[in-house]
Amino acid sequence: MAGLFDKQAEIYLDARPNYPKEWYSMLADHTTHHSLAWDVGTGNGQAALGVAEHYKQVIGTDVSEAQLKYAVPHPRVRYLHTPLSLSDDELVNFIGCEGRVDLVTVAQAVHWFDFPRFYSIVTRLLRKPGGVLAVWGYNDIVVSPIFDPVMKRFHDTTLPFWNPDIKHLFEGYRTLPFPFESIGLGSEGKPMPLDIPKKLSFDGFLGMLRSWSAVVMAKERGMDLLSEGVVKELECAWGGPNLVRRLGYLLSSYGPECQVLSKVLVTYEL
């Protein structure tokens, strides 16, 4: 996934949805301590900022230096670039001592990871007992009965340009390997659904579509998936450029030893 989101880093922050405050409160209620959290694949820090409301220190890491350039500052969040060349031991030392991390979060990113390697590192870092791993991601977007079929037709045109690892997200994380004990917030094969409401103008929604890696990849190959005609069709189905709509993002989450996925998949405790 290294470099996958570099080109659209500047628009990523405004284009992607924030997550409900209640979600972070729920995760915090499941950890026994609130000293240190690690937000993996932090991007511009959207999840890290929410986690920081409940933990004394949050370390947000990403393989993309371009994304981190747009990370939102927070007094309790420290952003670190973690290139794939880092060894497991180097990464563990980067984050902190083994057994000291109270919460590990992955928002809209775990499907890009090397699962065995990532889960091994998480197991080393999480506090035992009481540490939680939460992973979540969204795929389905519901706007209106008129807009949704038009959006599906557009989405279908993007399918050849996605990285194959996106399959777990498209399947609502139901096929995501998650070998941890459930804490009641979803489990392997049975992610917990979570609704994320967001109000957007059409321009804001269009910005989200332009931030998709498949749209960027298609453009690099000479195909503009968001041509003037396509944008016009989407705009008409939306109801016009000035209409602000309430969107529903369906998350899947897990929490373990802890895992959380957002369609919401699962949480587990170590």
Side-chain angles (χ1 to χ4, degrees), residues 6 8-11 13 43-45 65-73:
D6 289 358
Q8 63 268 42
E10 188 172 0
I11 62 174
L13 178 59
N44 47 53
E65 285 187 284
Q67 284 281 341
L68 291 173
K69 287 179 181 178
Y70 295 96
V72 180

Side-chain angles (χ1 to χ4, degrees), residues 23 27 31 33 36-41 47 51 55 58-59 61 95 100-107 110 113 118-119 121-127 130-136 178 180 254-261 266-268 270:
W23 176 241
L27 294 179
T31 65
H33 297 78
L36 178 61
W38 176 28
D39 184 46
V40 195
V51 173
Y55 293 82
V58 179
I59 298 175
T61 63
I95 305 305
R100 287 189 58 240
V101 177
D102 302 304
L103 174 69
V104 176
T105 55
V106 188
V110 75
F113 294 0
F118 174 62
Y119 292 156
I121 293 170
V122 167
T123 301
R124 291 173 62 180
L125 284 169
L126 275 179
R127 185 185 297 273
V132 168
L133 162 64
V135 306
W136 64 94
F178 201 74
F180 300 99
Y254 283 110
E257 235 156 69
C258 185
Q259 168 180 318
V260 177
L261 303 178
V266 185
T267 53
Y268 299 87
L270 288 174

Side-chain angles (χ1 to χ4, degrees), residues 175-191:
T175 59
L176 184 79
F178 201 74
F180 300 99
E181 178 185 351
S182 173
I183 59 172
L185 300 178
S187 61
E188 186 173 58
K190 296 179 180 179

Side-chain angles (χ1 to χ4, degrees), residues 4-253:
L4 199 57
F5 298 97
D6 289 358
K7 294 181 178 63
Q8 63 268 42
E10 188 172 0
I11 62 174
Y12 203 88
L13 178 59
D14 293 331
R16 297 306 177 102
N18 295 318
Y19 307 108
K21 293 181 179 179
E22 295 78 12
W23 176 241
Y24 300 111
S25 298
M26 182 166 56
L27 294 179
D29 288 343
H30 282 82
T31 65
T32 56
H33 297 78
H34 300 87
S35 298
L36 178 61
W38 176 28
D39 184 46
V40 195
T42 195
N44 47 53
Q46 285 167 304
L49 299 178
V51 173
E53 296 302 311
H54 302 277
Y55 293 82
K56 294 178 181 177
Q57 182 184 11
V58 179
I59 298 175
T61 63
D62 206 290
V63 298
S64 171
E65 285 187 284
Q67 284 281 341
L68 291 173
K69 287 179 181 178
Y70 295 96
V72 180
H74 188 286
R76 289 194 295 276
V77 179
R78 181 162 59 103
Y79 296 108
L80 298 174
H81 177 226
T82 51
L84 294 177
S85 58
L86 286 178
S87 69
D88 290 6
D89 288 341
E90 287 173 327
L91 184 54
V92 168
N93 291 333
F94 223 36
I95 305 305
C97 299
E98 295 191 16
R100 287 189 58 240
V101 177
D102 302 304
L103 174 69
V104 176
T105 55
V106 188
Q108 195 70 5
V110 75
H111 43 280
W112 305 122
F113 294 0
D114 176 337
F115 299 132
R117 183 188 182 200
F118 174 62
Y119 292 156
S120 174
I121 293 170
V122 167
T123 301
R124 291 173 62 180
L125 284 169
L126 275 179
R127 185 185 297 273
K128 306 174 188 63
V132 168
L133 162 64
V135 306
W136 64 94
Y138 57 87
N139 179 31
D140 296 331
I141 303 172
V142 179
V143 179
S144 74
I146 294 175
F147 183 82
D148 294 347
V150 179
M151 178 61 193
K152 183 182 185 305
R153 288 198 297 272
F154 166 73
H155 185 271
D156 288 346
T157 68
T158 71
L159 295 179
F161 302 99
W162 289 101
N163 183 294
D165 292 338
I166 197 73
K167 64 180 181 180
H168 293 296
L169 183 63
F170 283 174
E171 293 164 352
Y173 280 173
R174 290 184 297 273
T175 59
L176 184 79
F178 201 74
F180 300 99
E181 178 185 351
S182 173
I183 59 172
L185 300 178
S187 61
E188 186 173 58
K190 296 179 180 179
M192 183 181 81
L194 177 67
D195 182 50
I196 301 180
K198 184 178 178 68
K199 290 183 178 180
L200 271 182
S201 66
F202 180 72
D203 282 346
F205 184 79
L206 191 59
M208 184 196 70
L209 299 185
R210 286 176 172 148
S211 76
W212 284 7
S213 60
V215 172
V216 175
M217 180 62 70
K219 198 163 189 177
E220 289 182 350
R221 295 179 183 176
M223 184 174 295
D224 185 5
L225 299 182
L226 287 169
S227 64
E228 183 177 346
V230 171
V231 170
K232 191 64 178 178
E233 183 182 15
L234 289 167
E235 182 184 281
C236 289
W238 182 274
N242 299 319
L243 181 62
V244 175
R245 285 192 173 275
R246 180 189 182 277
L247 281 65
Y249 292 86
L250 182 60
L251 289 180
S252 299
S253 69

